Every structure is written in structure tokens, then in C-alpha cells.
Amino acid sequence: MDSDKIFRKGLFALFVGVFGVSSVLPYAQAEWHGELTFLSDYLHRGYSKNRGNPLAQAHIDYQDPIGWFGGVGVSQVSFDDRSYKNYADVEIKPYLGWSLPLNHDWRTELSVTGYLFDGKIFGKYADYAEFYASLHYQNWLSGTVSFAPNAYRREATVLNYELKYRRDILDNLQFSTGLGYYQANKLLDEDYFYWNAGVSWFITSNLALDLRYADVHLDDHHEDIHHHEFYPRLQDNKFLISVTAGF
């Protein structure tokens, strides 16, 4: 078995194995949440993972009262690599983390997320892990630093910084915005800022509609999107809509 397949199987086994432990703990002590979301695009740090097309995502999450949590998300993906063989159509995102209250207002989180694909991305196996450290103030301000030591298996270490703000306008209407800086020069040939702002309307306790505007600031916007072996579509001036049903 080659090293790529060993890495993919090992990463998947790590997340599934540890998350599987949670399923045997007493149900009364756990909180389970699930979501099904339909989106106009899968925008990730300023670039599209679905070529600007609508898609569906599913997500299940487990939270333990003592502070640790885990979950897995599944999403459709479609990169600009349709000319390659064995291209990926599905992304699986298992994650594990620990949340620790610091005082009444502040808490911190440490987590790791896996990005697993059912095929190759631009002709290469692309499964990788990313590590996160977050600081939250009450329920309205969050800051996160993350790094991926081998993003998309391209021998590129990338760092990302995000600041998120959210505020209730009405009982069922929330404004939120986010600003990020992606140090991805080794992956995308550029470091850049990206941001978004929008409103979420909680129609019922199990149904929500989100309307959002997203943009990315590029210092050097390449005319040829095939300038690099990994070239997802960077999105600017983008309007997004999503509908989420949860339990």
C-alpha cells in the first residue's frame, strides 16, 4: 500500500475511532445536533469548493457536558479539475475538540479537523488535517487561529486568522460578520484578506435562512486561473444564500 493510501486510512481511522467512543457513553449526558443545509455555493476562505454551484451539506455534532465535542460533516464538492481522472465529489470533515471556560464571559477551544475526499483534487490525493485554537467572548465575539501543516497534500503549511462578530437584531433575526487573513502563499501563490456579512432568520427552532455577501481582497489577481497546480476559484463580490434544517 502506498504512503498516500496509508495516510488517508490512518487519518480517517483516528477521527472515526475517537468519535465512535462518544456513541457508547450515556445518552442522557450528551447533546446531539444535526443539520441539513442547501447552499448556493461552498465558499471557503474566499474560494469556491463547488465552482460557484449550489450544493447540499449534512452535519452531526456531539457535545459532552465536561467540555469535549466531536462531529462529522459531509459536503458535495466540485473543483476545477474535471479533466483529471478520479476527481473528488464528496468531502468528509470529522472533527474533535475541547472547550474550556476561563470565567463567566470567556472560554477557549482547541480542536482538530480532518478534510477527507472520495477522490483526488487536481490529480493528487488531498486528505489533510488542520489544527485550531479559538477564544470566545460571551456568545458574540470569536477569534480563531489555525494551521494546516500539509494543506491538500501540497507540501504547503498554511495559517489562517479569523475574527467573527454576531449580534441579535430581533428574537429570530441575527446579524453576523467575519474577517479573515489567509497565509496561503505556498498553496495559492498569495496571502489575502477575505470577509463576509449577512443576516440569519430563524424561521422556526429547526429552520433557518441565511443571506450573505462575501468578498476577497487580492493583491495579484491572476488572469490565468491555471497558474498553479492547485487553483480553486477565488470569489469576490459574491452573494450567498443557504437554508438549514436542524434538530
Side-chain angles (χ1 to χ4, degrees):
M1 184 178 293
D2 60 44
S3 59
D4 283 318
K5 289 183 179 179
I6 292 174
F7 177 86
R8 297 175 75 225
K9 288 180 178 289
L11 184 62
F12 184 79
L14 170 65
F15 282 97
V16 173
V18 178
F19 180 64
V21 173
S22 68
S23 64
V24 302
L25 294 179
Y27 180 81
Q29 296 181 1
E31 288 189 18
W32 290 89
H33 304 278
E35 294 179 345
L36 178 62
T37 303
F38 298 93
L39 309 89
S40 59
D41 191 10
Y42 183 180
L43 208 60
H44 179 75
R45 296 173 186 169
Y47 64 85
S48 174
K49 289 190 175 184
N50 207 52
R51 295 186 292 164
N53 297 316
L55 69 148
Q57 295 179 342
H59 171 249
I60 188 168
D61 177 80
Y62 170 94
Q63 296 182 345
D64 189 89
I66 65 175
W68 67 273
F69 57 89
V72 63
V74 179
S75 176
Q76 293 175 281
V77 292
S78 180
F79 289 88
D80 282 296
D81 59 356
R82 305 292 95 173
S83 61
Y84 291 88
K85 294 181 180 180
N86 191 28
Y87 53 78
D89 290 312
V90 177
E91 175 190 78
I92 302 174
K93 288 174 56 177
Y95 61 89
L96 295 165
W98 181 269
S99 179
L100 177 66
L102 301 178
N103 55 39
H104 180 72
D105 294 322
W106 294 89
R107 65 183 173 88
T108 186
E109 283 182 3
L110 298 174
S111 64
V112 56
T113 296
Y115 294 85
L116 311 176
F117 302 93
D118 68 332
K120 297 181 179 180
I121 305 295
F122 295 101
K124 292 185 178 182
Y125 288 114
D127 302 337
Y128 69 100
E130 187 164 20
F131 303 88
Y132 297 78
S134 301
L135 185 64
H136 306 282
Y137 178 72
Q138 295 183 354
N139 291 318
W140 58 270
L141 185 63
S142 300
T144 300
V145 177
S146 66
F147 80 97
N150 191 8
Y152 291 98
R153 308 299 300 281
R154 302 285 166 168
E155 298 182 357
T157 297
V158 298
L159 290 165
N160 188 68
Y161 312 88
E162 280 190 349
L163 190 64
K164 295 181 180 180
Y165 171 85
R166 51 197 168 273
R167 205 68 173 178
D168 292 337
I169 302 173
L170 301 171
D171 290 341
N172 63 344
L173 191 66
Q174 183 182 81
F175 168 81
S176 61
T177 185
L179 173 66
Y181 182 67
Y182 198 24
Q183 286 187 304
N185 184 61
K186 292 183 178 179
L187 179 68
L188 299 171
D189 290 346
E190 190 162 359
D191 301 333
Y192 57 87
F193 285 97
Y194 60 93
W195 68 277
N196 73 83
V199 293
S200 299
W201 175 29
F202 301 97
I203 302 170
T204 70
S205 59
N206 300 107
L207 185 64
L209 172 67
D210 187 87
L211 302 175
R212 194 157 300 276
Y213 173 81
D215 199 7
V216 56
H217 177 72
L218 302 173
D219 294 327
D220 182 16
H221 200 348
H222 298 274
E223 294 296 329
D224 179 10
I225 63 170
H226 295 255
H227 70 283
H228 196 276
E229 63 175 359
F230 180 76
Y231 40 87
R233 297 190 185 188
L234 291 167
Q235 304 287 306
D236 52 2
N237 300 315
K238 184 83 172 183
F239 288 96
L240 303 168
I241 183 172
S242 65
V243 178
T244 298
F247 68 87

